[in-house]
Amino acid sequence: QECYPYLSKRLLTDDSPRARGALKMLIYGKYGDELDLSKVEELSKGFESYTSSTSSVKSGQGQNNEGRNAALEQLANVLLSEDSNYVQDLLLHESAVAIDAAIREAILSPLEPLRNTASQLPSLGPLTLPLDLAKAALELQAINDSDHKKLENVRILTDAVSKGRSTGTSTNEPSSSLDVPRLLQEANKRQRALGRIGLRFGESLTHVQAKRLRDRAAGVKKTNGDDAIKERLATRGAETLEALAEALSSLDSSLAKRK
């Protein structure tokens, strides 16, 4: 426990394969693929504690914010780095997964009655092809249990950012305050980096969406015409998204060469 602050610092700043593996196991678990926000919070607290204790005596004793400011700046150097690193990649991936689920929920919620009605209607070949296409598209965007977990994490993080601290009672919620103005200040210093991070986020988001469509296409049973339509839609959508992801990656690489 006494070594945890140093361990947190090491895991968040060391981009070696060994540190990557340890970080992934810590925040996702040995077999899980769901982010544990309580572990992320522990890491951030440990990182701040270590940086504060090594900044100055007064900071280590909690008499000023020098250590906390130094921790925020060092963390920004990792998260807002112009060149990608493992911690940044994890953040972009989790953000992409969460935003993908949030967008689909916002779009599908008002359309749920239509989806329920369409699912009860029989397919009549060419006569109902537009309806079959709409039904297949809605089913491919459906929210599952994993999406609900991601949406809950979005709610927790949104509360933490908007209120500066956690307001819930769940043990998985962050409880320390977030210095949003200072974080924005650090981001403002890195305009070029933000542009490239935006491209990498777009790449991550399209990869997430393409993988979801690939997974759902693989899960189609193909027992009727509706299933065939759904599989073709998913496959075509995944191919388009993968091409877009490749284009975004190429653009990021081109910017990297202009340093």
Side-chain angles (χ1 to χ4, degrees), residues 81-82 84 88 92 196-204 252:
S81 169
E82 181 173 344
S84 65
Q88 186 188 93
L92 293 179
R196 291 189 59 199
I197 291 171
L199 289 173
R200 290 197 289 272
F201 172 72
E203 180 187 355
S204 183
D252 181 43

Side-chain angles (χ1 to χ4, degrees), residues 7-19:
L7 177 63
S8 300
K9 160 84 172 179
R10 185 70 182 269
L11 290 178
L12 290 174
T13 58
D14 187 346
D15 204 36
S16 68
R18 185 175 181 180

Side-chain angles (χ1 to χ4, degrees), residues 134-155:
K135 181 168 62 173
L138 289 174
E139 289 177 358
L140 287 172
Q141 305 301 325
I143 301 294
N144 57 24
D145 291 341
S146 177
D147 291 325
H148 285 301
K149 174 62 177 176
K150 300 297 183 185
L151 291 170
E152 176 63 12
N153 283 348
V154 171
R155 183 193 68 78

Side-chain angles (χ1 to χ4, degrees), residues 13 15 62 104 115 136 180 207:
T13 58
D15 204 36
R104 284 185 289 122
R115 181 188 169 200
V180 178
H207 273 310

Side-chain angles (χ1 to χ4, degrees), residues 8-258:
S8 300
K9 160 84 172 179
R10 185 70 182 269
L11 290 178
L12 290 174
T13 58
D14 187 346
D15 204 36
S16 68
R18 185 175 181 180
R20 291 182 177 194
L23 177 61
K24 185 174 183 179
M25 183 175 292
L26 177 65
I27 62 177
Y28 287 100
K30 188 174 182 180
Y31 303 107
D33 59 357
E34 296 290 343
L35 182 67
D36 186 341
L37 286 182
S38 65
K39 294 298 184 183
V40 175
E41 177 66 6
E42 288 176 9
L43 271 176
S44 65
K45 284 182 176 179
F47 183 82
E48 182 180 325
S49 175
Y50 178 82
T51 307
S52 296
S53 66
T54 57
S55 294
S56 67
V57 174
K58 287 185 178 181
S59 179
Q61 294 174 347
Q63 297 178 22
N64 63 39
N65 289 326
E66 181 182 341
R68 189 177 184 203
N69 291 338
L72 185 58
E73 184 175 357
Q74 290 181 34
L75 194 58
N77 288 337
V78 176
L79 299 180
L80 302 177
S81 169
E82 181 173 344
D83 296 317
S84 65
N85 56 67
Y86 187 63
V87 174
Q88 186 188 93
D89 289 344
L90 285 179
L91 176 64
L92 293 179
H93 173 75
E94 286 299 328
S95 299
V97 170
I99 288 177
D100 174 54
I103 291 173
R104 284 185 289 122
E105 183 190 46
I107 293 174
L108 291 178
S109 293
L111 298 177
E112 193 63 26
L114 174 61
R115 181 188 169 200
N116 292 335
T117 301
S119 64
Q120 298 172 9
L121 298 176
S123 176
L124 300 176
L127 293 177
T128 57
L129 182 58
L131 181 61
D132 293 339
L133 287 170
K135 181 168 62 173
L138 289 174
E139 289 177 358
L140 287 172
Q141 305 301 325
I143 301 294
N144 57 24
D145 291 341
S146 177
D147 291 325
H148 285 301
K149 174 62 177 176
K150 300 297 183 185
L151 291 170
E152 176 63 12
N153 283 348
V154 171
R155 183 193 68 78
I156 292 170
L157 292 174
T158 300
D159 286 348
V161 170
S162 63
K163 298 178 182 180
R165 65 181 187 280
S166 169
T167 57
T169 57
S170 169
T171 57
N172 195 38
E173 296 194 24
S175 58
S176 66
S177 60
L178 297 176
D179 192 345
V180 178
R182 180 61 193 273
L183 195 59
L184 292 174
Q185 203 175 52
E186 290 295 331
N188 193 48
K189 300 176 184 177
R190 301 166 169 83
Q191 295 295 321
R192 177 183 166 88
L194 289 178
R196 291 189 59 199
I197 291 171
L199 289 173
R200 290 197 289 272
F201 172 72
E203 180 187 355
S204 183
L205 180 59
T206 49
H207 273 310
V208 164
Q209 293 172 327
K211 183 180 184 303
R212 170 170 50 77
L213 291 176
R214 292 280 187 197
D215 290 344
R216 295 192 177 184
V220 173
K221 297 180 181 179
K222 306 178 191 176
T223 57
N224 54 48
D226 288 351
D227 290 338
I229 290 174
K230 190 189 303 181
E231 182 191 25
R232 286 198 296 270
L233 271 181
T235 302
R236 186 67 59 85
E239 290 172 350
T240 301
L241 288 165
E242 286 163 354
L244 177 56
E246 185 176 349
L248 290 171
S249 178
S250 297
L251 181 54
D252 181 43
S253 298
S254 297
L255 290 176
K257 295 175 182 177
R258 297 178 187 175

